[in-house]
Structure formats: structure tokens, C-alpha cells
Amino acid sequence: MQNSEALFLTAALLSAASDLTRRINDGVVARGFEGVRPAHGFAFTRLAPDGATVTELAGHLGVTKQAASQLVDEIVRKGYAERRPHPEDARARLVVLTEQGWACTRAAEEAAAEAVAAWVDVIGEGEVRALCQQLGRIAPYGPIRPAW
């Protein structure tokens, strides 16, 4: 693969990821979840299903504990999460999604399905499934780190 082709592929993947993030966030907002932003969704993926400490969330997001703590303060204030005593560590607090946080997560799943359906309209379901399989082979599974 030529350098120019690799650069095009890189730009196309980053553009697709950016567009997907925007479409999901727009879909969540359209479903009545105002005041959310993509960083919240990236945090929600770590908090579901069993919650996380601020330290674990910071590692997932690739940010400092202070930045993660500020994000947690924000989503708690907005009613999407709550702090609970940690069941195994009396010094730690567990951050878990509230029912509103779970509803927002379900709205994001619906918006993601709509965004991918738009890809199906362009390249077909078989190609989207093949793309999913190929990306699954080369993309590391793990935290999705937002840039903001």
C-alpha cells in the first residue's frame, strides 16, 4: 500500500468515526436527552453494566483522575449516574448509571443502529457486515478514548 493510500484510509476511518459519533449524539439529543455530549456516552460504555470507580473511568477515557471526577460530577448533577459505596473497597465509591442513564444508553444504541443503517443504504448489508468483521480483526478491543 502506498503512503498516499494509507493516508486516505486513515482520513476516511477518522472521518467515519467522527460522523458516527456526531450522528449518535444527535440521535440521543433528538430523543430528548439534552445536555449530553459524546464524552458522556464514552463514559457510559464503561459504567455499564456494573459501574466503575473514578480511577477506572479515568483509565478507560485516557484522562486524569481529576478530569474523570469532573465528568462524573457533571453526569451525576444531570441525573445520569449516581455514586454508591463500593461493595469491595470501603475507601472507594462506585459510579453507576441511573435509570435515566440507562435510558440514554438505549437511545444511543438506537441512534447507532440508524447511523449504521445509512451505511447499509450506501454499500449494502453484506458489505457492512464484512466491514464489521474486518475492523474487528484489526481494531483493538478496549476503551474508546474521546478527544475533546
Side-chain angles (χ1 to χ4, degrees):
M1 177 173 269
Q2 299 292 321
N3 286 350
S4 59
E5 292 171 315
L7 185 59
F8 175 80
L9 176 60
T10 301
L13 286 170
L14 291 172
S15 178
S18 177
D19 183 61
L20 186 60
T21 301
R22 181 191 55 77
R23 286 176 184 248
I24 292 170
N25 195 70
D26 289 351
V28 168
V29 171
R31 287 167 172 80
F33 296 92
E34 297 194 23
V36 294
R37 53 192 172 94
H40 298 142
F42 293 125
F44 290 2
T45 63
R46 178 58 185 91
L47 297 179
D50 299 322
T53 65
V54 168
T55 300
E56 292 167 340
L57 185 59
H60 174 77
L61 296 174
V63 300
T64 64
K65 285 188 257 182
Q66 180 182 10
S69 182
Q70 289 173 348
L71 182 67
V72 167
D73 288 345
E74 185 179 354
I75 62 175
V76 166
R77 189 173 52 253
K78 292 180 180 195
Y80 293 110
E82 63 185 13
R83 291 180 178 91
R84 294 183 182 165
H86 196 288
E88 299 169 7
D89 184 351
R91 298 167 298 159
R93 302 282 290 170
L94 196 62
V95 181
V96 298
L97 294 177
T98 61
E99 186 52 44
Q100 182 180 355
W102 282 108
C104 186
T105 299
R106 288 188 296 273
E109 290 173 357
E110 292 170 3
E114 289 174 0
V116 171
W119 294 356
V120 170
D121 291 344
V122 174
I123 64 173
E125 187 171 343
E127 291 295 321
V128 171
R129 287 185 189 282
L131 175 64
C132 182
Q133 290 174 348
Q134 295 300 329
L135 287 174
R137 290 178 58 203
I138 61 172
Y141 182 78
I144 301 172
R145 295 194 167 122
W148 72 91

